[in-house]
Amino acid sequence: MSDHVLRIMLLTHSKSSLLCRTLIGCGIFICTLLSLSGCASFGSKNNAAKVSQFKQDTSVGTEDISIAAVGLVGVPYRYGGNNPKGGFDCSGLIAYVYNKSANIKLPRTIQEMSTKGKNVENQPPAPGDLVFFNTTGAKYSHAGIYAGQGRFVHAPSAGGTVRLEHITKPYWAARFTEARRLTSASPQN
């Protein structure tokens, strides 16, 4: 065989081998994407069902709590903050609003707050209910106060301010854990 023919055969073999490896790699990549999107959509459907209840508003007489929370929109975020002058973190905001507007004293951490009141799992949330989120891998790592019409007030992060946001936004909907209702008769439940 001539050197020329041998070079052509090696080049052809090399190109087909590269093409085969590329196709196998693409196939693996596509399968991985499909399996990951299947997992993501499963969790999203579950949370979508949870947050769909926020399309219906109900009243349990705690609108003063949500009104007080909305009045604090724009106050700067401050880790450990618990008043409007010094700023708020998420649990500081909640404790301040509940104490000032409903005379309900709450513990300082989100985890402890998550044990108070009762879960409103099978009913529409009401303005003034607490809404909890898993933002760090912990079931109760962030919280806010439901304001009605699918919105909640919270102190989100360093450098930010107290905000009013839609709970149905993909970020929040995917991380929603539960809503809890507190009344002056039941903060220690």
Side-chain angles (χ1 to χ4, degrees):
M1 228 188 257
S2 75
D3 282 341
H4 180 67
V5 172
L6 188 57
R7 281 188 202 148
I8 291 174
M9 287 177 57
L10 285 173
L11 187 58
T12 304
H13 176 72
S14 175
K15 284 183 181 177
S16 65
S17 176
L18 180 62
L19 179 63
C20 183
R21 281 184 278 166
T22 302
L23 289 174
I24 290 171
C26 286
I28 291 170
F29 177 73
I30 290 169
C31 288
T32 302
L33 280 179
L34 288 174
S35 66
L36 287 176
S37 69
C39 292
S41 65
F42 177 77
S44 296
K45 287 178 187 173
N46 188 16
N47 281 348
K50 282 183 181 180
V51 295
S52 69
Q53 64 191 338
F54 286 92
K55 292 179 182 171
Q56 323 163 34
D57 276 345
T58 188
S59 175
V60 295
T62 54
E63 288 82 7
D64 289 349
I65 294 169
S66 63
I67 291 167
V70 170
L72 295 168
V73 168
V75 172
Y77 175 92
R78 184 175 67 99
Y79 181 78
N82 58 9
N83 64 64
K85 287 184 181 180
F88 291 110
D89 64 10
C90 66
S91 59
L93 170 69
I94 292 167
Y96 178 85
V97 168
Y98 268 83
N99 188 31
K100 293 295 184 187
S101 63
N103 200 29
I104 296 174
K105 297 206 184 313
L106 291 174
R108 186 60 174 94
T109 69
I110 295 302
Q111 291 78 19
E112 291 173 310
M113 286 180 187
S114 72
T115 66
K116 306 302 177 195
K118 63 181 179 175
N119 187 327
V120 292
E121 183 175 19
N122 295 318
Q123 34 185 322
D129 287 347
L130 291 180
V131 288
F132 292 92
F133 303 90
N134 177 347
T135 58
T136 64
K139 187 175 180 182
Y140 303 103
S141 50
H142 187 66
I145 298 171
Y146 185 62
Q149 299 178 344
R151 298 169 304 159
F152 71 106
V153 176
H154 67 124
S157 62
T161 61
V162 173
R163 289 188 224 164
L164 178 66
E165 294 197 63
H166 286 274
I167 202 163
T168 54
K169 281 188 174 180
Y171 178 85
W172 296 112
R175 289 160 178 79
F176 176 71
T177 302
E178 72 175 332
R180 296 190 72 79
R181 184 162 300 146
L182 303 174
T183 62
S184 56
S186 69
Q188 301 305 315
N189 292 347

